[in-house]
Structure formats: C-alpha cells, structure tokens
Amino acid sequence: LRKDLRGRSVRGGVVTLVSQGLKFVITTGSTAVLARILTPGDFGLIAMVAAVVGFAALFKDLGLSMATVQRERVGHAQVSAMFWVNVAVSTLIALLVAACSPLVAMLYREPRLVPVTIALGSTFILGGLAAQHTALLRRQMRFTALASIEVVSLAVGAAVAIAVAWPTRSYWALVAMTATQAFVAAAMAWALSGWTPGRPRWDADARGMHAFGGYLTGFNLLNYFTRNFDNVLIGAALGAGPLGLYSRAYNLLMLPIRQVNGPATAVAMPALSRLQSDPPAYRRFFLRAVSMMSLITAPIVAYSFADADLLVLLLLGVQWTGAVDI
C-alpha cells in the first residue's frame, strides 16, 4: 500500500465521498418520509434507548477493529484472535443490555422500552461477527467494497423501515431499520472480505493489539458521555416528545457534517497507519485532512443557523417546527 499511498487515498476519497452523497440522499429522504408517518414521540422513544444502548456499544468492539487497521504488520492468527474476542464480547454485551432493559424502562418511566432495548441490543452480535472483516477491508483500503456495504445496508434498512411504518404507524419501524441495516452489513462484509477466521494465537502482537484497543475504548467512553448525556437528561426530565424534537434538530445539523468527517476519517486512518514511521509525512497528511474538513463544514454550520426554519420545514415537516430554535 505504501508504494501508492497518495493514489489510493485520492481514489478512496472520491469513492467514499460519492458513497457519502448517496447515503446523505437516502438518509435525508427516509427521514423526511418517516417524519411524516411517525410522531416525535416515536423518535423520542428510540432516542431514549439509543443513549443507553450506545453506551453499551462502546464495549462491543473494544477498539480491536481499529487495532487491526492501525498495526503496521498483522497476521491471520492475530486477526482470528481479535475476531473471537469481538464475537464473545458482543454476545455478552447483548445479554447484559437485555438484562438491563427493565432498568432502562424504569429510568424513563416508559414500559415500552423493554422490548425495544432487547431488540436493539441484539444487533451487537451482528456487529461483532463483522468487525474484523470490515477492519480488514479498511486496512487494505478497499473503499469501493466498504462504500457498497454502507450504501446497500442503509438503503435496504430505510426501505424496510418505510414498509413497516406505513401500515403500522409504529416506532417498531425504526427498530426494524437498525436491525436490517446491521444484518445486511454483516452479510456483505463476510462476502466481500473473503476472509474466514481460524484458530486464534495469543502472542505478544495480539496482546499489543488488545492494549491499543483498551486505550481507544477509554477515549471513546469519555467522548460518549460528552455527546450523549444531554439526551439522557432531557429524556428523563421532559419525556419522549421534547427529546424527539431535540434529537432530530441535533441530527439534522450533524447529518451533512458527518458526510464530510466520515469519509475523511475512513480514508485518513489506514493512510496515517502506514506513515507511523515517518513523522514529517504523517503531520503533513494530517494537517491537509483537517484543513479540508474545516473548509467544508464551517459554511454548512453557518447556513444551517441562517435557514433553520426552512430546513426543518422542508426535511421534517410542519409538526417539527419546535425543532427550529433548537
């Protein structure tokens, strides 16, 4: 990869940006449709669970997929070791989330959250099964395969959500979207990576990958609290309706920003990993990536502030006008 790192990064950036554009269209379109079928309370229920389930999700991978991407050299036995750890931990987390579902319902005083929490928590197992396959695709800078997985799984998930929401008018459509997306993504990762896990080997390299994953998990834990504790407080104090307005407003602002940050990070991480032994080149690559991201995202935020009323009315509908000020 090092021989053509710049070319791979440029091509990967183009492919990933195109896929992000497609994902933006799919996400925006499905959100506009679902926002007109479902109520703010339906979205609020899912946001309540998402804050709690998202915390558990920090531990389902333990940073091991990024450890696979980040290592300068990695072997089949080491990746197999990471795979089996991912499967075991994700299964354990799914069971713990199911066991804690009554506590989630008690926190929000909403009994409907018990089956929703169990259903969303079970998707962790699918994520654990596909974590190392996706990491290998990312390590190999196979961005076309990664883009296909993301776009197809998102499109199928959105189609299932609309198909469920139209006759039922139920928040279960949003649960179905998440579960379908996880299943399709896992199946495609296995098919496209061409890798089959074998017997694990617990050597010094594998232990080093575990240590890296532990540090990354610690960072993600702190970062999660800064970005999600507001949802927990609003949901517990004000209920599903206000949280639905708040979460949609926040996600509406972040949606275009994530379309930029997502592809830039996806391309930069494997490239930076190959430059670990060349600090000057590492710094140059990093500064160029951050500059590009800032140049694009700052105007998006400014426009969203100036035309918030138009954006909410166009993308969410009249019943969401309470999200304009937020």
Side-chain angles (χ1 to χ4, degrees):
L1 295 180
R2 184 71 182 269
K3 295 178 182 178
D4 189 26
L5 194 60
R6 180 185 295 273
R8 287 178 179 271
S9 299
V10 172
R11 291 191 297 272
V14 172
V15 169
T16 310
L17 280 172
V18 171
S19 73
Q20 287 297 113
L22 293 173
K23 288 164 60 180
F24 179 79
V25 172
I26 295 169
T27 302
T28 304
S30 61
T31 298
V33 173
L34 291 170
R36 286 162 172 79
I37 299 174
L38 305 177
T39 67
D42 293 325
F43 283 91
L45 282 173
I46 303 303
M48 287 176 174
V49 178
V52 178
V53 172
F55 173 74
L58 296 175
F59 303 96
K60 70 179 177 66
D61 178 65
L62 295 180
L64 299 181
S65 59
M66 188 57 69
T68 298
V69 176
Q70 185 263 351
R71 297 287 288 189
E72 288 194 81
R73 296 183 179 275
V74 67
H76 174 73
Q78 295 152 358
V79 181
S80 294
M82 302 303 105
F83 169 82
W84 291 113
V85 171
N86 279 144
V87 171
V89 171
S90 61
T91 302
L92 177 61
I93 294 297
L95 293 173
L96 289 175
V97 169
C100 293
S101 58
L103 298 178
V104 177
M106 289 175 57
L107 172 66
Y108 292 111
R109 299 179 295 277
E110 179 54 77
R112 291 178 295 175
L113 295 182
V114 173
V116 172
T117 303
I118 295 173
L120 291 177
S122 65
T123 62
F124 290 160
I125 300 174
L126 294 169
L129 286 168
Q132 290 302 316
H133 295 76
T134 305
L136 287 173
L137 289 172
R138 197 172 303 283
R139 176 182 178 84
Q140 297 160 4
M141 302 184 80
R142 294 174 58 186
F143 295 111
T144 301
L146 290 166
S148 300
I149 293 171
E150 293 176 355
V151 172
V152 172
S153 63
L154 181 63
V156 175
V160 169
I162 295 172
V164 173
W166 187 260
T168 66
R169 298 296 199 270
S170 169
Y171 53 87
W172 281 104
L174 303 175
V175 178
M177 178 168 63
T178 301
T180 302
Q181 188 175 347
F183 176 80
V184 173
M188 291 186 66
W190 272 71
L192 294 177
S193 69
W195 178 73
T196 302
R199 295 178 59 183
R201 187 177 68 192
W202 304 101
D203 55 12
D205 287 334
R207 289 191 291 272
M209 293 171 73
H210 277 288
F212 176 89
Y215 290 127
L216 183 60
T217 301
F219 163 76
N220 290 336
L221 180 64
L222 292 174
N223 190 53
Y224 179 82
F225 276 109
T226 66
R227 293 185 178 274
N228 288 277
F229 201 59
D230 49 352
N231 289 330
V232 176
L233 289 176
I234 293 171
L238 302 179
L243 178 57
L245 291 171
Y246 177 82
S247 65
R248 284 302 92 192
Y250 185 86
N251 288 335
L252 191 60
L253 173 65
M254 292 302 297
L255 181 60
I257 296 174
R258 287 172 180 147
Q259 309 313 305
V260 177
N261 291 353
T265 302
V267 172
M269 282 305 301
L272 289 171
S273 297
R274 305 287 83 76
L275 297 174
Q276 292 181 76
S277 57
D278 188 353
Y282 188 104
R283 284 192 292 269
R284 288 194 299 270
F285 191 102
F286 179 84
L287 288 174
R288 280 198 297 267
V290 172
S291 298
M292 179 198 72
M293 293 160 65
S294 301
L295 183 66
I296 298 173
T297 56
I300 292 175
V301 174
Y303 174 75
S304 299
F305 175 81
D307 261 344
D309 52 349
L310 177 62
L311 287 174
V312 170
L313 184 63
L314 178 64
L315 297 177
L316 299 181
V318 187
Q319 62 175 331
W320 294 86
T321 52
V324 172
D325 292 336
I326 300 173

